[in-house]
Amino acid sequence: MSAPGAALLTRPPASGGGRGLAMQLLLAVVSGGYAVGAALGWGSEELAEIMGDFGLSAAALLAAVSCYAYARTIDSRERPAWLLFAFSSLMGACGNGVWGWYEVVLGEAVPKPSLADFAFLCFAPPAIVGLLVLAKRPVTRAGWVCLGLDSWLIGGSLLTLSWSLALAHAARTAQSGAPGSVPRAALSLAYPLLDIALVSMVLVLHFRRSEANRSAVNTAIAALALTVLSDALFTSPLLSAEYQSGQLLDAGWFAGSLLLAYAPWGARRAHPGPGTPGLPRPDRPVSRPITGSLPALTPYLAAAVCTLGILYNVVDGRKVDRVVVFTGCTVVLALVIRQGIMLIDNIALTQELAQKENHFRSLVQGSSDVIMIAAPTGTLRYVSPAAAGVYGREAEELVGSELATLIHPHDLGRVVHEVRRFLAAPPAEEPTTRIECRFKSGSGEWLNVESTVNRHQGGLILNSRDVTERVRLQAQLQHSAEHDPLTDLPNRALFTRRVRQALTGRRAGDHSTAVLFIDLDGFKAVNDTIGHQAGDELLTEAARRLQDSVRAGDTAARLGGDEFAALILGDGARERSAREHQVQEIADRLRTTLSQPYRIAGSEVRVAASIGVAFADPGITPSDLMRNADLAMYRAKAGGKDRVELYAPQMQAEVVRKAELAGRLRTALHDGEFALLHQPVVSLATGEVTAVAAQARWRSAQGILFTPAEFLRVAEYSEGAAAASDGRSALPAGTPTRAAELGHWLLGEAVAQAAERHRIGHDVPVAVRMSAQRLLDRAAPLGSVEALLTRHGLPSGALVIELTVSDPRVPFDELERRLAALRRLGVLISLDGFGSGYAAISALRRLPVDVLKVDRGLVEGVVESARLHKITAGLLRIANDLGMQSVADGVDLPEQVMALRAMGCTHGQGVAFSGPLDEYRLRRALVRGTFPVPGGAVQPALAGGSPGGSMAIRRGSHNETPVPPA
């Protein structure tokens, strides 16, 4: 057998305790010492009588106490047997005690019969009944009959032999009629007859003993057998006449009593079983053939003994005794009856065995699983026919081969370890085990096989099945769980695990490892313009380019949407600056590669890539490293997109600062720290206040006054903070943002205060800035503007919505319907930021607009820049040609007032007239009604209406103004 095969089924050596061995040595020393003393005569006749009588009585009393104490500790069907053994030993102790009373104390010969004889006669019956209790009980009537026949076969054969040798002489003495001969003869016959019955039960129990507490029962059987042997020698004609107390024969009774006292305790401790009571030891060897055949040979041995008794009388020339003839005939008759019963029983068992064999053969041969039996040497002794269909190899081909040679070399070590662990475990605790390994098929490929393993006569039974498809499916599911389904790149979970391995494995000290976060700029426009199918094709191509651009040991992954990542493992050999330069070059190359045109659906599509880079600083965690790369990527997007940005610690500090400010902003909304100011909108021709623009200010608890630009940036950060940390949208759908809450508060306060001013006679419209996205936001309360107008009773023309359009994804059709509904309620629409942004002309062409608000950026340079002067003049001319009023935002200098008025601008808003005012100062300004106009009040050259008209008055004829095509 090969070395792997030997290792596969080798059982680890079992270890045994030494306490039982010490008790056995002590028992042997005490018994041997008694035997030596008896052989030497104990030194004096008096001591010999004491040891021969009271010594035996003490040993028997010790056995009685030991068996009684053991019986009290157990709770099973064995308890009556050990109580009977205790009583039997007690009778022996009493008999020896009476014998010693006559010989030692009284110094007289023991009379016959005496109380000692009656005590000795009571020794055998309890022992016989105790042995019957310990015997394995038959389950059928035939079994009970066979048990009785076996007992008589043994007892009858021993009676025949004993009668021929000694008992016939005692019987003839009783018939002689001498005085006192009959009781003595009956007593002399009672001893051997009871001993014969006891020996018969000992032999029957030896062949029919139960499995419960086998070691203690065997020791008790040996003790009783030794006692019976000593009784037989005592009753023989050779020793009965010359026996004296303290002779060597007493050593047999002494050793038998000590062995019976040792049986329930020492034998049990000497051989502890790992399993439960009643189960065989797992390492118990298989019975030898000769030992297993002894129960079958018992009847024939008994008949042979009986025949020897008869032949002894014939050869010696004696007349065959009638007792011998009668006993021999009954023994022969019992043998015939027993053999007939056994023959019938064997026929029935043979038929039942054949049926069960056919049944199990059908199960094994018809099973789709392969059943194999491996010998203790590791050689396959049986393989079921299913091997041809599962392994592609005939069963006959596999029989005789070594199991270890059929297992994949990479799996053999694990299988050997599991098998050895299984064989070392107690069967009661682990009856089976399961092993999965690769098995060599007939075609030479390796199949994944799952086997259920059981013990079988020192070897193994393997019930195996092919699970190759299941293993492949599991591998496919595992791959799907760790890879993006569209691009087949590692997903976020696998990428995070790879980053963790890079930071905690053998590269833990390598701080040149870098993580790149990549976002495709303009990908959303691809989905919106040419469809999601084209977007998927673009992502697939981008993933292929990314995978081809990284090294074999690096990892490219798709995190979700249009976000990708790359793990660049460090080499540990470069300085930090050199490594940063190398990774910067890799990132620039990736940016260039990903920004190349894509051929999608027959057309050329372009997107850009913003990349953030972060290095593995000492002690950094995987989540922090990925967060740093994400922050750097968003800094690259905020810096103009299509660029590479390295992470710097101040990025995180800025995020923390904005997060703290956003938290304070959230509290400020609920604590009422916002105040509403109004900036007058003045006619550039007359200086009259024609409207007021509502503006919010935040005065924090620290006394800091934040302008709209400052806290609106914080509000926008609070909406996108989560996106900067994990690349996902900040809030789920339907969740109100800080900017939305601010806008709702601003609109509500502005309408409420405007309604209050109208009630006291200040009929000037209020202008509130609102983005197109918020106006169309489905998460906002439907009809919130209409509800405010109705609740506060604001008249028609008293509210101006300054619309900002900054997102190219705004649906103009839906926005146009929404604005038309508001205008039907008397709400004026002002196009805010006119002159900047992509949608100015498109919005002007498609949307119902009443007022154009010129962007602050054009107003600031209208005096210094001739180019801006011409642009601003052209925009104002368009407004006048369309019959719209115009408002210049950010008019801070007198020169700007005169220039704008000369260009035809009708209204202005800025510090040149007034800054934002609280409600008290605003009402004072409205009472005054006008502001001084630099250069005096003149009629504008290109005015589209009366120079002093308010926005509310100009609204009337706009519905009929024709809009030329763009």
Side-chain angles (χ1 to χ4, degrees), residues 525-581:
V526 175
N527 276 342
D528 294 340
T529 54
I530 59 178
H532 289 273
Q533 179 64 33
D536 291 345
E537 294 180 13
L538 189 148
L539 290 176
T540 304
E541 176 62 20
R544 186 191 62 79
R545 294 183 186 183
L546 178 61
Q547 185 68 47
D548 294 341
S549 301
V550 299
R551 300 172 304 179
D554 298 334
T555 300
R558 182 190 178 204
L559 305 183
D562 59 344
E563 291 187 351
F564 295 85
L567 173 64
I568 309 298
L569 298 178
D571 51 15
R574 296 176 180 266
E575 296 180 355
R576 179 62 180 265
S577 58
R579 180 60 175 167
E580 288 184 359
H581 179 70

Side-chain angles (χ1 to χ4, degrees), residues 860 863-864 890-900 910-913 934:
E860 289 176 349
V863 178
E864 295 83 1
V891 182
D892 299 334
L893 302 175
E895 294 82 358
Q896 296 172 349
V897 175
M898 292 184 289
L900 291 169
V911 181
F913 301 104

Side-chain angles (χ1 to χ4, degrees), residues 123 178 230 238 356 522 537 629 695 715 729 761 763 824 901:
F123 172 81
S230 300
L238 298 176
K356 290 184 177 180
E537 294 180 13
Q695 298 179 5
S729 61
D763 300 332
R824 285 194 293 270
R901 185 172 59 184

Side-chain angles (χ1 to χ4, degrees), residues 148-167 192-193 195-197 199-201 203-204 297-313 323-335:
L149 292 175
D150 289 342
S151 301
W152 172 243
L153 285 172
I154 297 174
S157 61
L158 293 177
L159 177 61
T160 302
L161 185 61
S162 301
W163 190 272
S164 300
L165 295 177
L167 299 182
L193 291 178
D195 286 340
I196 288 173
V199 169
S200 301
M201 293 312 305
L203 293 177
V204 170
L297 297 177
T298 301
Y300 304 102
L301 293 176
V305 171
C306 185
T307 303
L308 288 176
I310 298 175
L311 290 177
Y312 174 79
N313 288 279
V323 175
V324 174
V325 174
F326 176 78
T327 306
C329 292
T330 56
V331 168
V332 173
L333 180 62
L335 178 62

Side-chain angles (χ1 to χ4, degrees), residues 216-242:
V217 173
N218 287 341
T219 308
I221 290 174
L224 294 176
L226 185 58
T227 303
V228 169
L229 178 61
S230 300
D231 287 344
L233 294 175
F234 172 74
T235 57
S236 65
L238 298 176
L239 297 178
S240 60
E242 300 179 358

Side-chain angles (χ1 to χ4, degrees), residues 684 769 802 830-836 851-862 868-869 871-880 885-891 900 903-909:
L684 297 183
R769 178 175 296 181
E802 295 183 349
S830 173
L831 186 59
D832 190 26
F834 188 69
S836 65
V851 180
L852 291 181
K853 194 168 186 179
V854 181
D855 186 68
R856 175 185 293 271
L858 296 177
V859 175
E860 289 176 349
V862 72
L868 286 179
H869 188 280
I871 294 174
T872 305
L875 295 176
L876 291 171
R877 186 177 297 109
I878 292 174
N880 282 281
Q885 295 194 20
S886 54
V887 178
D889 189 15
V891 182
L900 291 169
M903 296 176 190
C905 184
T906 59
H907 297 80
Q909 171 185 341

Side-chain angles (χ1 to χ4, degrees), residues 17-31 62 66 219 258-271:
R19 180 178 300 179
L21 181 60
M23 295 184 65
Q24 293 173 5
L25 290 176
L26 178 61
L27 177 65
V29 169
V30 174
S31 300
L62 177 63
S66 175
T219 308
L258 290 186
L259 195 61
L260 185 60
Y262 164 81
W265 308 100
R268 186 177 61 169
R269 294 178 181 176
H271 303 285

